[in-house]
Amino acid sequence: MSPIPSITVLISGRGSNLEALHREASGYRVGAVISNRCDARGIDWAKEAGLTTHVLHRQLFPTARDFHTALLEVVMHTRPALVVLAGYMALLPPEFIAACPARIINIHPSLLPKYPGLDTHARALAAGELMHGCTAHFVDQGLDTGRVIAQVSVPIHPEDDADALAERTRLAEHSLYPWVVRHVVTGDITLADGHVRFSDDVRREALTFGYRLNTV
Ligand code: GRF
């Protein structure tokens, strides 16, 4: 029997998506967790869960270049089928993306292309949006600009503040992201020539779960 494909998860903070990825792992396993911050809560959780962890605290490297060289080395060492950003709060430079031994995906707390970057919940509220949500996407060299894979919408209630909306959005992330990771790993979701393709099974499941696939 062939081994279960292993993903490498990059985090910077709380790690709730990491927990969901581990809890819902099917068709893949979390082979390694890498944090660019030594105080990331997710790293403590990952250690307790018995996952392999690596901390490369950015500030301990003289330059960004040195940091990314070391990060690439660790990622290569973990031999991932997929690199999964889960609250990794830093841009990966083009050289890193080009040299990365596997595709990279990210989860973002907005309905991209709306609200790339930070403070997405507060910005959606300030704009008077009625709907918000999250997006799983392939990573390219821009800030949250890579090809969208799938999105989940959540309603905005009149009494919402940014924390309440963030919490509702996070629950949607926890359901969408493991599903996307599973199907990218199995090859049911692919990126070729700038287009995201889905197998028929993925299309059917997305309809059932209420996930919106990128059909562009
Ligand atoms: C999530 O909202 C994710 O969309 C964004 O950063 C947040 C990370 O949360 N990229 P957590 O660390 O997974 O709890």
Side-chain angles (χ1 to χ4, degrees):
M1 225 165 63
S2 48
I4 300 174
S6 162
I7 65 166
T8 294
V9 183
L10 270 58
I11 64 167
S12 302
R14 153 202 332 229
S16 70
N17 277 286
L18 165 65
E19 286 187 40
L21 286 164
H22 180 56
R23 190 177 56 238
E24 306 294 329
S26 152
Y28 69 88
R29 68 184 179 88
V30 177
V33 181
I34 306 175
S35 172
N36 64 343
R37 297 182 57 113
C38 57
D39 57 354
R41 262 200 282 156
I43 273 293
D44 295 334
W45 176 86
K47 281 182 188 154
E48 274 169 31
L51 298 173
T52 300
T53 59
H54 303 269
V55 177
L56 283 83
H57 194 67
R58 165 66 189 90
Q59 271 67 39
L60 296 182
F61 291 82
T63 65
R65 196 190 171 92
D66 292 328
F67 169 75
H68 285 113
T69 302
L71 181 62
L72 185 61
E73 228 169 77
V74 176
V75 168
M76 284 178 145
H77 174 77
T78 62
R79 305 171 67 87
L82 183 67
V83 173
V84 178
L85 308 187
Y88 183 73
M89 305 301 282
L91 262 185
L92 294 169
E95 308 79 65
F96 180 97
I97 296 170
C100 189
R103 283 227 186 271
I104 311 172
I105 65 171
N106 183 40
I107 184 87
H108 182 75
S110 80
L111 298 172
L112 290 171
K114 281 188 171 178
Y115 311 116
L118 298 175
D119 300 324
T120 59
H121 313 294
R123 285 156 65 205
L125 287 172
E129 301 278 6
L130 298 176
M131 298 299 286
H132 190 55
C134 60
T135 302
H137 65 92
F138 287 104
V139 168
D140 68 5
Q141 299 168 7
L143 177 65
D144 305 320
T145 54
R147 299 300 288 179
V148 167
I149 301 171
Q151 298 183 313
V152 177
S153 297
V154 298
I156 295 183
H157 301 317
E159 68 279 12
D160 276 348
D161 59 13
D163 287 344
L165 184 55
E167 194 48 44
R168 192 173 310 123
T169 306
R170 229 181 332 263
L171 288 179
E173 294 179 2
H174 297 171
S175 129
L176 176 68
Y177 211 21
W179 182 83
V180 165
V181 167
R182 173 160 70 252
H183 290 305
V184 173
V185 167
T186 59
D188 282 306
I189 298 176
T190 53
L191 176 66
D193 304 326
H195 293 284
V196 183
R197 309 253 184 245
F198 306 96
S199 71
D200 290 343
D201 282 349
V202 161
R203 286 176 188 281
R204 266 190 294 273
E205 283 183 27
L207 267 180
T208 309
F209 299 143
Y211 302 155
R212 192 166 53 254
L213 300 180
N214 178 6
T215 50
V216 185

